[in-house]
Amino acid sequence: MKVLSQVPYFAGLDEDELADVDRRMVSLSWGEGDRLYEAGAPAEHLYVVAAGRVRITQPTPTGQDVLTDVLTPGDLFGALSTLGQAEYPESAEAMTTTCALRIDPGAFRGVLTEHPQVALRVLDDIAGRLARARSDVGRISTGSVAQRVATTLLRLADKVGQDRAGGGTLLQVPLSRADLAGMTGSTPESVSRVMSRLRQDGVIESGRRWTAVLDRERLAEIAAGA
């Protein structure tokens, strides 16, 4: 119930209404590295992260999966054919032991029918995603690689960052250059140059499975093009 109340679709529903949504959902768990679903599979479920973290990846033309997002408790993900997606556009994998709530198309249709305010939020969300997609295209076509990398690091810091002993924000997320390239619409070589420069300037530190933002103010300036 607490997790559902954090999902924007269900925000504002009272306890009885949340309980009605909860009854339509199934609770499932996965171990680290388990796939929740694969890109290209029929879009049959929506999920809400209840505990743990989920890695969202998209396949590249070369067959390599690149990270596009990291999900935390309260995040909604997946796809339904009833919402206009016949197949999952990405793969979802548990980064840690993960629990998620799952709802199928028939049950979700019942939620939309019986709770019109949820249906309105779904429409708002779809419109927002279309607007963000157009904005992302514009940002990729006009912003520098440094701006896009800085913006992505700031977004991840806000979402999964933890206070670091000695200062800064720690991202305990394995971020390969290919992952950052996929998230920023760039190339691994360009991302590598930007990350090297950020390390040399003392803006970030990084290791094999972690990145630390040391100077958030400077990173924000870079994201803004300063």
Side-chain angles (χ1 to χ4, degrees):
M1 295 282 284
K2 181 179 179 181
V3 169
L4 288 177
S5 68
Q6 297 172 3
V7 178
Y9 283 2
F10 309 129
L13 295 183
D14 62 32
E15 206 167 294
D16 289 339
E17 291 170 325
L18 283 174
D20 179 60
V21 175
D22 182 56
R23 281 192 294 271
R24 302 169 193 262
M25 290 190 148
V26 177
S27 178
L28 300 168
S29 61
W30 297 263
E32 181 180 350
D34 290 346
R35 286 289 177 106
L36 283 68
Y37 57 77
E38 297 277 353
E44 297 176 339
H45 298 101
L46 286 177
Y47 298 80
V48 180
V49 181
R53 291 180 180 176
V54 175
R55 169 187 173 96
I56 300 297
T57 61
Q58 286 189 331
T60 65
T62 62
Q64 182 181 13
D65 285 344
V66 295
L67 180 72
T68 59
D69 205 355
V70 175
L71 306 181
T72 55
D75 282 340
L76 184 79
F77 63 106
L80 292 174
S81 56
T82 53
L83 295 181
Q85 288 185 300
E87 299 177 343
Y88 292 118
E90 75 284 304
S91 297
E93 177 184 306
M95 296 182 71
T96 63
T97 299
T98 295
C99 177
L101 307 177
R102 189 179 76 182
I103 189 167
D104 62 36
F108 192 65
R109 184 179 291 276
V111 170
L112 297 181
T113 301
E114 296 176 27
H115 303 284
Q117 65 271 50
V118 176
L120 291 174
R121 292 194 187 105
V122 170
L123 290 175
D124 288 342
D125 179 58
I126 292 172
R129 292 187 188 198
L130 290 172
R132 286 193 298 274
R134 288 194 292 269
S135 175
D136 288 344
V137 170
R139 188 162 50 247
I140 287 173
S141 62
T142 59
S144 68
V145 176
Q147 284 177 276
R148 302 199 298 268
V149 169
T151 298
T152 298
L153 291 175
L154 288 170
R155 181 169 64 84
L156 289 172
D158 288 339
K159 191 163 191 179
V160 300
Q162 302 172 334
D163 289 339
R164 181 173 179 259
T169 303
L170 178 65
L171 311 179
Q172 285 190 306
V173 178
L175 285 174
S176 71
R177 298 299 176 259
D179 287 335
L180 280 173
M183 297 178 79
T184 58
S186 184
T187 64
E189 294 77 16
S190 296
V191 166
S192 184
R193 286 193 292 270
V194 170
M195 293 292 283
S196 294
R197 190 158 57 248
L198 291 175
R199 281 195 300 271
Q200 291 169 5
D201 293 343
V203 179
I204 67 166
E205 282 185 337
S206 62
R208 190 166 180 270
R209 296 179 63 85
W210 59 272
T211 302
V213 175
L214 304 181
D215 189 343
R216 184 185 175 93
E217 184 176 344
R218 178 56 188 147
L219 196 62
E221 290 173 352
I222 293 170

